């Protein structure tokens, strides 16, 4: 069965037939479709110069464009791409060793192609063998459910059928989604401290507000076992979601999610004043806090009444990683003195989970106890909000 965005192996050596396959977008122009197809042809050719068969088992386009739901940015010169192009490079052999060997060259390739392409091109080295035996995640579900195979067997995902069951996506995945999107809200909040915003600033803020709007509904759907790879189907599912335990804020989440879906499919560069953005940011952030506390109370089986309550809770928030590995990661990230820290044997992301709610939602940073908490969690000597955010931002990409 061929799913939306999925294609058979590349039909010809010249790649021209890619332009006749399923579209990258729902309603993009022919010029945009051809542009994306040529990019895929170029990427395939470049990757094959770096990694040849049989080491290269498959090259797959994931993300919105791989599922046929990529963003279409309307400009005065015609339709343009907006989202990233996310390529999965499946290699034979050990995934970790392959990552070490090819990551730098693939990253350099992405950086070289991105400016001319007009969008960010990124690569993820992976292993089909690992994917077949790994549990379901939001990433694996989205990838296996909808993709475009540029190189490889049309049936390369045989053995990965369990990744098609969205009901098996764990609550931890929804929590991680909120963690990353709320981090986007924090970084947007940092920009909104400026008196005036540049065009790039407004684009960043508008994009991250929309991503957060989408994530709020997606997290609720994951928690209810109703998540779907198709964002239009998710919008319908969320609108139909009515249960006896429906939170009071559910309708507000539905409205924001619909706006997030609209932005995902038809992104736009939003021009607003900093004051207008601040008001919108406040509304979305407060709703995000309610969803966050609801989800984490459910996931960790412990009620959290406030951001402060959550941040200071001693409950383990990132279980499942061996303590010895956590110790090494903490030493590598924060220094050898962390071995004396109560968080030494916990996964480092937990430090960020204990910090983000205070930075995004708690206004009591003048409280000495809150400052000391943030200093210990982030291993920093900072003493003000900007300093704490800088320390957080420096670590977050490693554990996003």
């Amino acid at each position: 069965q061929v799913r939306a965005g999925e294609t058979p192996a590349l039909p010809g050596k010249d790649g021209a037939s890619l332009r006749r396959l399923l579209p990258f977008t729902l309603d993009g122009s022919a010029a945009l479709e051809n542009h994306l197809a040529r990019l895929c042809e170029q990427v395939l050719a470049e990757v094959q110069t770096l990694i040849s068969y049989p080491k290269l088992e498959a090259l797959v386009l994931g993300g919105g464009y791989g599922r046929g739901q990529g963003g279409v940015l309307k400009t005065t010169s015609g339709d343009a791409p907006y989202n990233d192009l996310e390529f999965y490079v499946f290699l034979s052999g050990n995934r970790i060793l392959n990552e070490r060997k090819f990551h730098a060259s693939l990253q350099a390739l992405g950086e070289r192609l991105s400016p001319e392409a007009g969008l960010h091109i990124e690569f993820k080295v992976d292993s089909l063998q690992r994917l077949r035996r790994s549990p379901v995640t939001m990433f694996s579900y989205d990838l296996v459910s909808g993709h475009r195979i540029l190189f490889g067997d049309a049936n390369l995902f045989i053995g990965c059928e369990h990744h098609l069951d969205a009901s098996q996506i764990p609550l931890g995945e929804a929590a991680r989604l909120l963690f990353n999107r709320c981090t986007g809200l924090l970084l947007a909040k940092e920009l909104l401290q400026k008196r005036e915003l540049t065009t790039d600033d407004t684009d960043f803020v508008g994009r991250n507000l929309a991503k957060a709007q989408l994530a709020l509904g997606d997290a609720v759907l994951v928690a209810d076992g109703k998540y779907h790879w198709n964002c239009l189907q998710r919008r319908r599912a969320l609108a139909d979601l009515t249960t006896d335990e429906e939170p009071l804020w559910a309708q507000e989440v539905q409205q924001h999610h619909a706006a997030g879906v609209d932005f995902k499919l038809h992104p736009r560069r939003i021009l607003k004043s900093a004051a207008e953005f601040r008001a919108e940011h406040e509304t979305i952030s407060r709703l995000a806090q309610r969803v966050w506390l609801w989800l984490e109370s459910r996931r960790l089986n412990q009620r959290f009444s406030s951001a402060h309550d959550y941040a200071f809770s001693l409950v383990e928030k990132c279980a499942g990683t061996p303590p010895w590995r956590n110790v090494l990661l903490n030493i590598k990230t924060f220094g050898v003195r962390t071995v004396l820290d109560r968080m030494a044997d916990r996964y480092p992301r937990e430090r960020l989970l204990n910090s983000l709610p205070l930075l995004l939602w708690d206004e009591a940073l003048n409280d000495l106890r809150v400052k000391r908490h943030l200093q210990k969690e982030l291993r920093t000597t900072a003493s003000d909000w900007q300093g704490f955010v800088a320390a957080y931002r420096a670590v977050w990409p490693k554990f996003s």
Side-chain angles (χ1 to χ4, degrees):
Q1 180 181 359
V2 177
R3 301 175 183 275
E6 184 176 357
T7 66
L10 190 65
K13 291 183 179 179
D14 62 358
S17 53
L18 274 175
R19 288 189 283 273
R20 298 194 297 271
L21 297 172
L22 294 175
F24 297 93
T25 69
L26 291 178
D27 53 9
S29 65
L32 174 59
E33 290 289 328
N34 285 332
H35 172 65
L36 292 168
R38 285 193 295 269
L39 280 176
C40 287
E41 294 163 12
Q42 182 180 6
V43 166
L44 174 59
E46 297 270 8
V47 169
Q48 287 179 313
T49 63
L50 296 174
I51 314 168
S52 58
Y53 179 84
K55 186 65 175 180
L56 177 64
E57 293 185 323
L59 180 65
V60 178
L61 176 64
Y65 291 117
R67 294 189 290 275
Q69 294 189 333
V72 179
L73 178 66
K74 300 292 182 181
T75 72
T76 55
S77 56
D79 291 352
Y82 188 81
N83 311 121
D84 298 344
L85 282 181
E86 303 170 6
F87 293 97
Y88 289 79
V89 185
F90 289 101
L91 305 179
S92 61
N94 183 277
R95 182 180 65 87
I96 296 177
L97 294 179
N98 286 333
E99 171 74 18
R100 291 176 179 173
K101 183 175 181 179
F102 295 106
H103 171 78
S105 56
L106 288 171
Q107 184 179 39
L109 174 61
E111 292 173 352
R112 176 165 60 84
L113 296 179
S114 293
E116 184 179 349
L119 74 172
H120 181 64
I121 294 175
E122 61 181 351
F123 297 94
K124 178 178 175 59
V125 174
D126 211 332
S127 158
L128 288 169
Q129 184 179 14
R130 182 205 65 84
L131 186 63
R132 292 182 181 116
R133 65 172 185 265
S134 64
V136 182
T137 66
M138 291 187 74
F139 286 114
S140 69
Y141 167 78
D142 282 340
L143 175 64
V144 177
S145 296
H147 52 263
R148 177 179 291 251
I149 300 174
L150 306 183
F151 176 83
D153 192 288
N155 299 315
L156 65 93
F157 287 124
I158 285 181
C160 299
E161 291 80 7
H162 62 290
H163 290 285
L164 297 172
D165 188 356
S167 67
Q168 296 303 307
I169 299 174
L171 279 178
E173 287 292 293
R176 187 172 179 180
L177 173 66
L178 283 187
F179 163 64
N180 285 317
R181 295 299 174 250
C182 286
T183 295
L185 289 177
L186 177 64
L187 300 181
K189 182 178 180 179
E190 182 182 32
L191 279 180
L192 291 173
Q193 306 297 309
K194 298 167 64 173
R195 297 182 64 180
E196 292 190 11
L197 303 176
T198 66
T199 301
D200 287 342
D201 291 340
T202 58
D203 185 52
F204 180 88
V205 172
R207 181 171 67 251
N208 278 279
L209 290 178
K211 285 184 173 183
Q213 288 178 301
L214 185 68
L216 297 180
D218 288 349
V220 171
L221 289 172
V222 169
D224 202 58
K226 300 289 179 58
Y227 183 80
H228 197 277
W229 64 267
N230 185 322
C231 65
L232 296 176
Q233 178 61 31
R234 297 205 301 277
R235 183 171 64 185
R236 289 190 290 268
L238 194 63
D240 294 338
L241 194 61
T242 54
T243 66
D244 294 337
E245 299 180 359
E246 181 179 300
L248 296 176
W249 38 258
Q251 187 173 0
E252 190 178 355
V253 167
Q254 292 168 1
Q255 294 168 352
H256 281 282
H257 185 264
V261 170
D262 182 59
F263 187 93
K264 178 178 177 62
L265 297 175
H266 302 103
R268 52 204 176 276
R269 303 198 186 281
I270 302 172
L271 297 178
K272 290 182 180 179
S273 67
E276 290 175 300
F277 268 133
R278 289 188 198 106
E280 185 178 358
H281 184 280
E282 174 69 15
T283 298
I284 295 172
S285 292
R286 289 302 169 188
L287 180 59
Q289 179 183 18
R290 298 171 75 181
V291 178
W292 175 293
L293 295 176
W294 169 80
L295 179 69
E296 288 293 73
S297 295
R298 185 169 173 174
R299 179 175 76 94
L300 301 173
N301 197 29
Q302 179 173 326
R303 185 177 181 275
F304 303 109
S305 59
S306 67
H308 188 279
D309 184 24
Y310 176 87
F312 279 85
S313 169
L314 297 179
V315 64
E316 188 173 5
K317 301 180 176 76
C318 296
T321 309
W324 64 266
R325 183 171 181 268
N326 293 338
V327 171
L328 294 178
L329 283 172
N330 275 290
I331 292 175
K332 181 179 179 181
T333 306
F334 298 102
V336 70
R337 290 186 178 181
T338 56
V339 295
L340 303 176
D341 195 308
R342 69 171 182 84
M343 299 288 290
D345 63 348
R346 297 200 181 182
Y347 190 63
R349 188 186 299 126
E350 189 163 330
R351 294 175 178 271
L352 302 178
L353 289 171
N354 289 337
S355 303
L356 176 60
L358 295 174
L359 296 172
L360 182 58
W361 298 309
D362 198 308
E363 304 299 330
L365 288 187
N366 58 341
D367 185 322
L368 184 58
R369 183 167 176 255
V370 171
K371 284 187 177 182
R372 286 177 175 171
H373 177 80
L374 288 170
Q375 288 171 339
K376 289 180 180 179
E377 295 296 324
L378 298 174
R379 304 297 299 179
T380 179
T381 58
S383 59
D384 60 8
W385 187 83
Q386 287 80 7
F388 289 130
V389 173
Y392 178 97
R393 184 172 6 96
V395 178
W396 168 69
K398 302 174 184 177
F399 303 102
S400 61

